[in-house]
Amino acid sequence: MWFIFALLTAMAWGGADLFYKKGSDSSDRFSHIKIVIMVGLVMGVHAVSYLLLKGIAFDPADMIRYLPVSALYILSMTIGYIGLRYIELSIASPVQNSSGAVTTILLFLFFTHSLGALEIIGITIITAGVVGIAILEKRAERAALQTGAIQFDKKYQIGVMAILFPILYCLIDGLGTFADAIYLDEWSLIGEDSALLAYEFTFFLCALVAWVYLRGIKKQPFNLFRERVKGAAAVFETIGQFFYVFAMSSNAIIAAPLIASYSIFSILLSRLFLKERLGRGQYALIVIVILGIALLGIADEL
C-alpha cells in the first residue's frame, strides 16, 4: 500500500503547489505568513476531526518528541512560500523536490538497505528526471530573456535570492524527510497517527503565532473568505500529509523520491492553469519520470 499512499501524496501536493502559486502575491510582503496561517488552520481542524472520529488517545508529549521533524518541515515550507513570490512554480517545484534525492542519499549512507534492480532504476530515473526538468527550465528561461522573446513579470525575474529559496527548501526538506524516515520507518520512534497529529497540531500553533504577529504586531488585515485560494492549497497540503505519513512508515527510502516527483503534477497543472510554458524537452522528462514511477509500482507488486 505504500506505493498508492506515495502516489496519492504526490498528486495532492501537486495540486497544493498550484494553489500556493495562485495565492502568492508579490505585492504583499505578508503573503507567505497568510499561507502559513491557512495551512495551520486547516491542519488543526483536520487533526481535531481525525482525533474525534478515530477516538485516538493523543499524548501532547508527542509534539515535543516529533518536534525535530515538524520544525524542519515547517521551516522548509515557509521558505518555499516566500520563494513562490519571486520565481515561477515550474522552476521552484523541481528544484525544491530534488530533496527526495537528498533523503535517499542520507538513508543509504546511514542505514543498510537492500534494493532490487527495478527499484534502483526507478529511483534513479525519477531523481534524474526531476533534476533534469529544473535544468532545462532554467536554460529556457535564460534564453528567452536574452533574446527578448518574452517579457517576464517582475516577480518572476530569476536572481540569486530568488533561486536561493527553493535550494534552501530542498536541503531543509531533505533533512526533514530523512528525520521522518528515522522516526517512522528505520527506528519506529512514533506511530503514524501520533506523527500526523503531532505535526498538524504543531503547525496549528505556528499558525496562531503567525496570526498574532500579522494582526497584533503588524496590524495587517486577514479575511478567511478572501483567502480562499490559499485555503484550497491548505486543503490539498493536508490531504497529502495524511497519506504521506503512511507511505513513509512502510518504505521510506523508495517513497521519498517518488513523493518528491509531485513536481511533475505541479508543472502540468501550472501549464494548464497558470499558462507557464513547457517545451518538448520538459515533456520528455515528464514521461521519463512517469516511467520511473511505473517501475516502482511494478517492483512493489513483485
Side-chain angles (χ1 to χ4, degrees), residues 202-235:
T202 301
F203 213 129
F204 177 69
L205 291 179
C206 290
L208 288 180
V209 173
W211 183 83
V212 170
Y213 172 78
L214 185 70
R215 297 286 291 130
I217 299 177
K218 293 299 182 179
K219 309 298 182 183
Q220 295 295 312
F222 182 79
N223 189 314
L224 283 175
F225 296 102
R226 292 180 181 177
E227 304 295 345
R228 292 189 297 272
V229 175
K230 293 182 178 66
V235 170

Side-chain angles (χ1 to χ4, degrees), residues 165-217:
F165 289 116
I167 291 174
L168 284 174
Y169 175 98
C170 169
L171 296 175
I172 298 172
D173 185 70
L175 289 173
T177 308
F178 173 63
D180 222 357
I182 294 174
Y183 271 75
L184 293 170
D185 187 19
E186 302 295 345
W187 293 347
S188 299
L189 300 177
I190 193 171
E192 294 94 334
D193 287 337
S194 297
L196 176 65
L197 293 172
Y199 176 70
E200 291 188 335
F201 279 130
T202 301
F203 213 129
F204 177 69
L205 291 179
C206 290
L208 288 180
V209 173
W211 183 83
V212 170
Y213 172 78
L214 185 70
R215 297 286 291 130
I217 299 177

Side-chain angles (χ1 to χ4, degrees), residues 7-47:
L7 200 55
L8 289 172
T9 301
M11 294 172 66
W13 282 351
D17 257 12
L18 172 68
F19 287 105
Y20 282 142
K21 187 59 179 179
K22 288 175 67 68
S24 296
D25 184 0
S26 62
S27 63
D28 181 5
R29 62 194 183 99
F30 299 106
S31 177
H32 59 288
I33 296 177
K34 294 175 181 178
I35 295 177
V36 170
I37 294 172
M38 290 302 299
V39 173
L41 177 61
V42 172
M43 285 195 174
V45 171
H46 176 263

Side-chain angles (χ1 to χ4, degrees), residues 87-168:
I87 188 170
E88 284 194 354
L89 175 62
S90 53
I91 300 176
S93 187
V95 175
Q96 289 175 173
N97 293 297
S98 299
S99 61
V102 174
T103 302
T104 301
I105 291 171
L106 289 174
L107 287 172
F108 264 119
L109 289 176
F110 291 97
F111 296 95
T112 302
H113 286 275
S114 178
L115 298 176
L118 282 180
E119 292 169 331
I120 294 174
I121 294 172
I123 291 172
T124 303
I125 288 176
I126 291 172
T127 303
V130 170
V131 174
I133 287 173
I135 294 172
L136 287 182
E137 191 71 18
K138 187 175 180 180
R139 287 178 179 175
E141 297 283 357
R142 185 180 301 165
L145 187 60
Q146 289 175 346
T147 60
I150 57 172
Q151 296 294 322
F152 291 120
D153 188 287
K154 183 180 178 181
K155 68 180 179 180
Y156 291 153
Q157 296 293 333
I158 307 302
V160 174
M161 289 302 296
I163 199 67
L164 180 63
F165 289 116
I167 291 174
L168 284 174

